[in-house]
């Protein structure tokens, strides 16, 4: 096997494997290196995919138990946690194998091992058998992703004090689960275990959940999760955890300081964010600049300050989302191939896959206010949407923010059933620079949930019809 490549991609996650696919399509000879042993990165192995499998099955379980009897379907429901986990493992296995197939199809050599940049143009890989292979290349793409951000003085053992990885594989349903961090992971995995029977308490440092998402949506989101039984302690921090034989004793303190309190739990999930992962990569030695959060600094074309070294995905700035990594992969490889790839960051959707789902794209009201952009709002509740009624899922609303003068869509925020699918129309609208009137005047099939988005777009000009 030749050790000479056009491009070597370090990391086989959504950033890395999509870079390898695009490289193959553009006729570049590539290798994709991952130390994990199964390609697909965090997303396929311990992130997006296993969490969505558990979110789906736990939602079905709760619906079968609590919702179906209200809709005229009698059921007896019994949890088979091992069976649920088996479904998750099967899906992960199939998808990671699928990535290997795609790498092969696109003539990218898949290498399992730990990669280190020896110098620009040279990558050393420590293979599983202990040997080292030295590869030469014109370009190196760093796609090494991210890792769990630690909580000071709390050691994750992945059994009782877990990160998302441990929380995806608990062997029994904990009676009590304490989640630190009311972000994506805390609320998604907190929902999974609450549905399966845990008493879930979420401790959040800030005075709101899901920072970064539209404030009005976040408020409604917290209210709905609380109604489902999730407890919240906002403006609170965890300052210590003591492992006792029967339980964990967690010491809490108001975020602003003050009297401490104690709470007992069986499992503690640390979900306070993720940080870029570039350990042992040799980036700094090669002269590549990292920012103070450890992220690889690049220009808008994904070039670092060192000629021939590029970076994409979670290890550089921006939202830590699989599709953001994928979009950057395509743009970066196109730039390497002499084309002009770019990513429109205003059109990258974000989805929290709870029930109801929360989805957003573009600017929030808070962001528009902070830069003084004049905007109009259209809003429509799912209680007034016929399809939402038929599926007995009427919680939430859709909100369209449009430029006050030009009517261009600036942001769309949806909380409701299927929000993650509904948001895609809004992402497309922003991508093509559409006006809210374009959404309002586009025919939407009846009865669908998409009509809620259309009605909220109509609401921008005050002519929502079904309220
Ligand atoms: P990664 O997927 O992290 O891949 C990087 C790979 O590089 C890893 O496999 C690592 O082993 C490898 N690597 C690192 N260093 C080296 C080295 N020196 N040598 C060889 N290999 C190396 N995002 C979404 O968009 N939707 C979701 O629903 C979603 N759910 C998530 C759920 C959870 C629980 C978590 C933790 C994350 C979730 N994410 C989700 C985020 C998503 O997983 C990441 O944004 C995405 O995986 C980033 O892709 P990446 O290619 O940049 O990095
Ligand atoms: P997050 O950034 O979404 O949320 C972390 C939360 O923890 C924030 O609300 C933050 O204020 C809080 N926090 C920080 N320090 C704290 C402390 N000491 N005590 C209490 N609270 C504290 O991070 P999370 O949930 O860990 O997820 C990491 C990333 O993974 C996400 O930002 C997202 O990019 C990605 N992800 C995406 C998903 C999706 O797309 N559906 C699902 C899961 C993860």
């Amino acid at each position: 096997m030749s050790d000479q490549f056009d491009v070597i991609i370090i990391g086989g996650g959504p950033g890395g494997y999509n870079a390898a696919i695009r490289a193959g399509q553009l006729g570049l000879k590539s290798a994709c290196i991952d130390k994990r042993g199964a390609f697909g990165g965090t997303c396929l192995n311990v992130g997006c995919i296993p969490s969505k499998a558990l979110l789906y099955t736990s939602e079905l379980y709760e619906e079968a138990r609590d919702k179906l009897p209200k809709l005229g379907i009698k059921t007896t429901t019994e949890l088979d946690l091992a069976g649920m986990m088996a479904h998750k493992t099967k899906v992960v296995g199939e998808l990671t194998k699928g990535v290997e197939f795609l790498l092969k199809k696109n003539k990218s050599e898949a290498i399992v091992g730990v990669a280190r940049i020896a110098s620009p143009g040279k990558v050393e890989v420590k293979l599983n058998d202990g040997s080292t292979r030295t590869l030469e290349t014109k370009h190196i793409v760093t796609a090494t992703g991210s890792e769990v951000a630690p909580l000071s003085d709390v050691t994750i053992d992945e059994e009782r004090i877990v990160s998302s990885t441990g929380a995806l594989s608990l062997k029994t349903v904990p009676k009590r689960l304490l989640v630190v961090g009311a972000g994506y992971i805390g609320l998604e995995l907190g929902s999974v275990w609450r549905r399966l029977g845990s008493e879930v308490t979420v401790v959040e440092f800030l005075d709101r959940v899901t920072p970064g998402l539209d404030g009005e949506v976040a408020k409604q989101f917290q209210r709905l999760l609380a109604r489902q039984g999730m407890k919240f302690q906002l403006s609170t921090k965890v300052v210590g955890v003591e492992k006792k034989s029967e339980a964990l004793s967690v010491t809490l303190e108001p975020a602003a300081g003050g009297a401490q309190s104690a709470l007992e739990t069986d499992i503690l999930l640390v979900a306070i964010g993720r940080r870029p992962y570039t350990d042992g990569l040799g980036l700094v030695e090669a002269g590549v600049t990292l920012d103070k959060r450890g992220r690889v600094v690049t220009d808008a074309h994904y070039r670092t300050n060192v000629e021939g070294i590029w970076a994409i995905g979670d290890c550089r700035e921006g939202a830590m989302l699989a599709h953001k990594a994928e979009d950057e992969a395509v743009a970066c490889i196109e730039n390497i191939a002499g084309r002009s790839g770019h990513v429109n960051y205003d059109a990258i959707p974000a989805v929290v896959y709870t029930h109801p789902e929360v989805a957003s794209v573009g600017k929030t009201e808070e962001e528009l206010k902070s830069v003084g952009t004049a905007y109009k709002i259209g809003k429509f509740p799912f209680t007034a949407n016929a399809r939402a009624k038929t599926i007995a899922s009427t919680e939430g609303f859709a909100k369209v923010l449009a430029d006050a003068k030009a009517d261009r869509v600036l942001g769309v925020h949806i909380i409701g059933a299927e929000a993650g699918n509904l948001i895609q129309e809004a992402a497309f609208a922003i991508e093509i620079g559409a006006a809210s009137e374009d959404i309002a005047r586009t025919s939407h099939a009846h009865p669908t949930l998409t009509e809620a988005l259309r009605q909220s777009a109509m609401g921008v000009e005050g002519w929502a019809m079904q309220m």
Side-chain angles (χ1 to χ4, degrees):
M1 215 151 312
S2 160
D3 286 337
Q4 188 73 46
F5 297 89
D6 295 318
V7 52
I8 289 179
I9 299 142
I10 306 178
Y17 78 75
N18 282 297
I21 292 170
R22 193 73 186 119
Q25 289 174 341
L26 296 181
L28 299 172
K29 182 172 184 255
S30 79
C32 183
I33 309 165
D34 201 298
K35 61 183 180 182
R36 201 182 285 272
F39 281 78
T42 302
C43 178
L44 269 62
N45 288 285
V46 289
C48 326
I49 298 307
S51 61
K52 265 77 258 178
L54 290 183
L55 277 156
Y56 176 68
T57 49
S58 63
E59 189 175 344
L60 281 185
Y61 170 71
E62 187 174 52
E63 283 195 351
R65 192 187 59 200
D66 302 342
K67 186 172 175 180
L68 296 191
K70 293 181 193 149
L71 305 178
I73 304 163
K74 288 186 182 163
T75 55
T76 14
T77 332
E78 192 187 335
L79 176 63
D80 169 13
L81 185 60
M84 233 178 228
M85 292 294 174
H87 165 69
K88 177 202 74 172
T89 307
K90 179 169 170 280
V91 173
V92 167
E94 285 171 3
L95 288 175
T96 54
K97 281 270 164 301
V99 171
E100 270 178 43
F101 164 79
L102 290 171
L103 292 176
K104 200 178 220 168
K105 182 175 168 219
N106 288 282
K107 300 187 175 51
S108 181
E109 189 186 344
I111 302 174
V112 177
V114 182
R116 193 180 71 86
I117 299 170
S119 61
K122 196 174 273 187
V123 174
E124 280 175 7
V125 191
K126 198 158 209 187
L127 302 170
N128 278 351
D129 62 7
S131 64
T132 300
R133 192 171 152 195
T134 303
L135 314 173
E136 298 204 342
T137 181
K138 294 187 198 116
H139 303 275
I140 298 169
V141 176
T142 304
T144 48
S146 61
E147 62 175 352
V148 177
L151 180 60
S152 56
D153 297 330
V154 176
T155 308
I156 291 173
D157 59 23
E158 297 298 11
E159 294 211 344
R160 294 165 75 191
I161 303 179
V162 297
S163 70
S164 50
T165 302
L168 287 167
S169 296
L170 298 179
K171 292 190 181 59
T172 54
V173 179
K175 186 170 174 319
R176 296 160 300 183
L177 171 69
L178 188 87
V179 177
V180 194
Y184 284 75
I185 291 177
L187 300 184
E188 286 189 354
L189 295 182
S191 289
V192 165
W193 292 106
R194 186 203 54 71
R195 292 167 184 167
L196 300 183
S198 299
E199 291 162 22
V200 176
T201 304
V202 181
V203 174
E204 164 61 45
F205 187 80
L206 300 177
D207 60 359
R208 55 163 292 172
V209 304
T210 52
L213 292 185
D214 185 86
E216 186 185 13
V217 167
K219 242 186 217 142
Q220 172 84 334
F221 188 27
Q222 189 195 334
R223 214 175 290 140
L224 293 174
L225 292 175
R227 203 186 291 162
Q228 294 168 7
M230 208 180 261
K231 294 200 181 91
F232 288 92
Q233 291 210 19
L234 302 183
S235 305
T236 304
K237 60 187 174 192
V238 168
V239 290
V241 183
E242 196 190 335
K243 277 185 174 173
K244 296 186 172 163
S245 58
E246 286 303 305
L248 299 170
S249 176
V250 183
T251 309
L252 305 176
E253 196 180 284
Q260 295 188 343
S261 58
L263 211 112
E264 293 224 317
T265 188
D266 302 302
I267 301 284
L268 182 86
L269 164 59
V270 177
I272 60 165
R274 293 178 63 83
R275 62 183 186 190
Y277 180 74
T278 57
D279 284 3
L281 195 58
L283 274 180
V284 175
E285 296 82 343
V288 173
T289 306
L290 305 184
D291 69 13
K292 56 181 188 300
R293 289 162 69 178
R295 302 178 298 192
V296 185
V297 176
T298 74
D299 63 12
H301 310 287
Y302 311 102
R303 270 192 195 93
T304 69
N305 59 312
V306 175
E307 179 71 27
I309 302 183
W310 309 67
I312 57 172
D314 278 13
C315 69
R316 69 178 291 280
E317 70 172 314
M320 288 185 170
L321 295 173
H323 44 288
K324 177 259 194 189
E326 174 181 349
D327 294 345
E328 290 183 349
V330 170
C332 175
I333 293 295
E334 289 180 351
N335 291 330
I336 287 173
R339 301 188 177 199
S340 42
H342 98 288
V343 175
N344 176 2
Y345 288 95
D346 275 335
I348 295 185
V351 181
V352 192
Y353 296 87
T354 44
H355 185 83
E357 290 183 346
V358 175
S360 71
V361 64
K363 304 286 187 222
T364 62
E365 280 204 57
E366 291 79 6
E367 283 170 328
L368 293 176
K369 277 183 191 143
S370 73
V371 293
T373 303
Y375 62 94
K376 299 175 288 186
I377 306 181
K379 219 159 79 178
F380 192 81
F382 282 100
T383 42
N385 174 272
R387 186 59 179 273
K389 282 218 183 284
T390 64
I391 63 169
S393 203
T394 53
E395 296 157 324
F397 59 86
K399 171 159 112 175
V400 173
L401 307 174
D403 185 273
K405 278 210 189 98
D407 192 33
R408 195 181 161 119
V409 179
L410 301 175
V412 174
H413 307 278
I414 307 175
I415 175 164
E418 298 284 334
N421 286 327
L422 302 182
I423 202 68
Q424 213 46 54
E425 178 181 355
F428 183 63
I430 291 180
E431 179 66 29
I432 64 168
S436 78
E437 189 179 354
D438 293 319
I439 299 178
R441 293 198 182 272
T442 298
S443 183
H444 286 64
H446 176 74
T448 60
L449 297 168
T450 66
E451 288 173 287
L453 178 60
R454 181 188 195 182
Q455 292 288 327
S456 61
M458 288 170 161
V460 170
E461 290 297 337
W463 63 290
M465 297 172 68
Q466 288 160 13
M467 265 212 300

